[in-house]
Amino acid sequence: MNHSRFLFCSILWVTLIAPAAVAFPQGMGSQAALVQQSSIIFAGTVSQLGATSFADVPKSAQTIVVRVEFILKKPAAVSLKKGDNVTVEVKDPSAFRPGMEVTFYTDGWMFGAGVAVKELSHETTSSGGKPGRAGVNERAIGQIEEQISDQELKQRLASADFVVIAKVTEVRPWTVRDAASVPHRVTEHDPDWHDAVIKIESVLKGPKPKKNKLVVRFPQCNDVAWAHAPKFEKNQEGLFFLKKDEVSGAPVALLEGTEVNAYTCLRPGDWLPKSDAARVRSLLKTMRK
């Protein structure tokens, strides 16, 4: 393996894909931070110790298999449902035994024939209880995430070059006009770049584009390095928090025969459904006061 390329990819995932840390409102505490840091939160029953749920995951004393009872939080790109077996790399294997009901706060590790995650923290359920009810439940997570989201949205609004309400009119594989000029820096976790053309309905931040359209470059790959990044399909609508492309190596695209800047929308929360428009507009007003 080319270790320098692997290191670059690891740094890229941490800085661009992993959720950014924010300052939390007083009283939210460590649980809110844990909810934000976790990309996958689920409750389940420990079934095996020192084992894995699919062959691609390296087996060790720290890997356990957990049968999923229900999912509290996960990226849309990750396929996970009740009854699935998940590999969890735990911090302390001695804390678990078969039959234990546990809520796991985790980050993604490996995806393929199954799902493997790394434990950030866990909560055990008292005897006779149902997994996940011991600590934070789905409603509580939603409330915490909504509070966190206001803080994150303010940061995203401040740092974005464009914030627009738009509709995807076209999705196409990224075609490099001059491949020789683009450094091939990553061999592991190839993002499989695609370009989405979006038609602007409303500009919340930034100048109005001349063609009333922008090009959004995004990774189509669902590899662990890119699983959290928003994926786009034709006719998809929503709010886009966009920054000039500084990732692909060639930050331009063709739009109706004209070379234009390409933009990225890489972190969870950089795309939101249109139903969040009122809240975003309200936050913008408070920021402008």
Side-chain angles (χ1 to χ4, degrees):
M1 178 187 294
N2 187 318
H3 292 285
S4 63
R5 286 175 174 171
F6 181 80
L7 177 61
F8 170 82
C9 186
S10 300
I11 294 171
L12 183 67
W13 179 82
V14 170
T15 56
L16 293 177
I17 307 303
V22 298
F24 296 101
Q26 187 175 4
M28 288 184 67
S30 59
Q31 190 175 65
L34 183 59
V35 169
Q36 187 200 24
Q37 291 165 10
S38 303
S39 59
I40 299 175
I41 304 173
F42 71 97
T45 304
V46 177
S47 60
Q48 298 179 68
L49 305 179
T52 60
S53 57
F54 61 107
D56 294 337
V57 186
K59 186 186 301 184
S60 75
Q62 287 183 275
T63 56
I64 69 173
V65 176
V66 181
R67 177 182 167 82
V68 175
E69 297 296 334
F70 56 87
I71 298 99
L72 295 164
K73 177 184 179 184
K74 75 175 184 66
V78 175
S79 177
L80 187 63
K81 63 185 184 302
K82 181 178 179 179
D84 285 351
N85 290 314
V86 174
T87 299
V88 183
E89 185 182 74
V90 298
K91 295 180 178 180
D92 179 10
S94 66
F96 302 93
R97 65 181 185 278
M100 283 183 64
E101 297 175 338
V102 187
T103 298
F104 286 97
Y105 300 80
T106 71
D107 203 3
W109 178 19
M110 297 181 68
F111 304 95
V115 174
V117 297
K118 294 193 176 189
E119 177 201 356
L120 299 178
S121 185
H122 74 272
E123 295 173 345
T124 57
T125 305
S126 58
S127 179
K130 292 185 178 181
R133 305 301 190 202
V136 61
N137 59 28
E138 189 171 9
R139 181 177 179 183
I141 285 178
Q143 291 172 340
I144 289 171
E145 288 196 296
E146 185 174 354
Q147 292 173 356
I148 294 171
S149 183
D150 282 350
Q151 302 301 309
E152 289 184 322
L153 281 176
K154 287 181 180 179
Q155 291 186 351
R156 292 175 198 275
L157 286 166
S159 63
D161 295 313
F162 278 97
V163 180
V164 299
I165 301 174
K167 180 177 182 178
V168 178
T169 60
E170 179 186 357
V171 174
R172 64 199 182 205
W174 176 39
T175 302
V176 185
R177 296 185 68 185
D178 183 7
S181 67
V182 181
H184 186 69
R185 296 175 294 182
V186 180
T187 55
E188 299 286 336
H189 313 296
D190 182 9
D192 185 19
W193 293 114
H194 278 57
D195 285 347
V197 178
I198 60 173
K199 185 175 181 180
I200 310 301
E201 176 185 317
S202 179
V203 177
L204 305 185
K205 179 183 177 182
K208 185 175 181 180
K210 292 182 180 179
K211 296 178 179 291
N212 209 36
K213 293 181 179 179
L214 291 170
V215 176
V216 182
R217 185 155 295 151
F218 68 96
Q220 188 73 278
C221 177
N222 282 329
D223 180 90
V224 61
W226 305 103
H228 299 8
K231 318 293 188 215
F232 300 110
E233 299 177 351
K234 187 175 180 179
N235 296 322
Q236 183 174 345
E237 296 180 281
L239 287 89
F240 296 76
F241 294 72
L242 304 175
K243 292 184 179 181
K244 288 184 179 179
D245 176 14
E246 297 179 349
V247 184
S248 70
V252 294
L254 280 180
L255 179 60
E256 298 177 356
T258 302
E259 194 171 81
V260 297
N261 288 325
Y263 293 86
T264 55
C265 186
L266 292 175
R267 295 181 299 170
D270 281 351
W271 177 88
L272 294 173
K274 289 180 74 174
S275 58
D276 280 318
R279 183 158 60 96
V280 172
R281 291 181 190 274
S282 177
L283 286 173
L284 271 171
K285 288 181 180 179
T286 64
M287 292 171 64
R288 290 167 179 165
K289 289 181 180 179

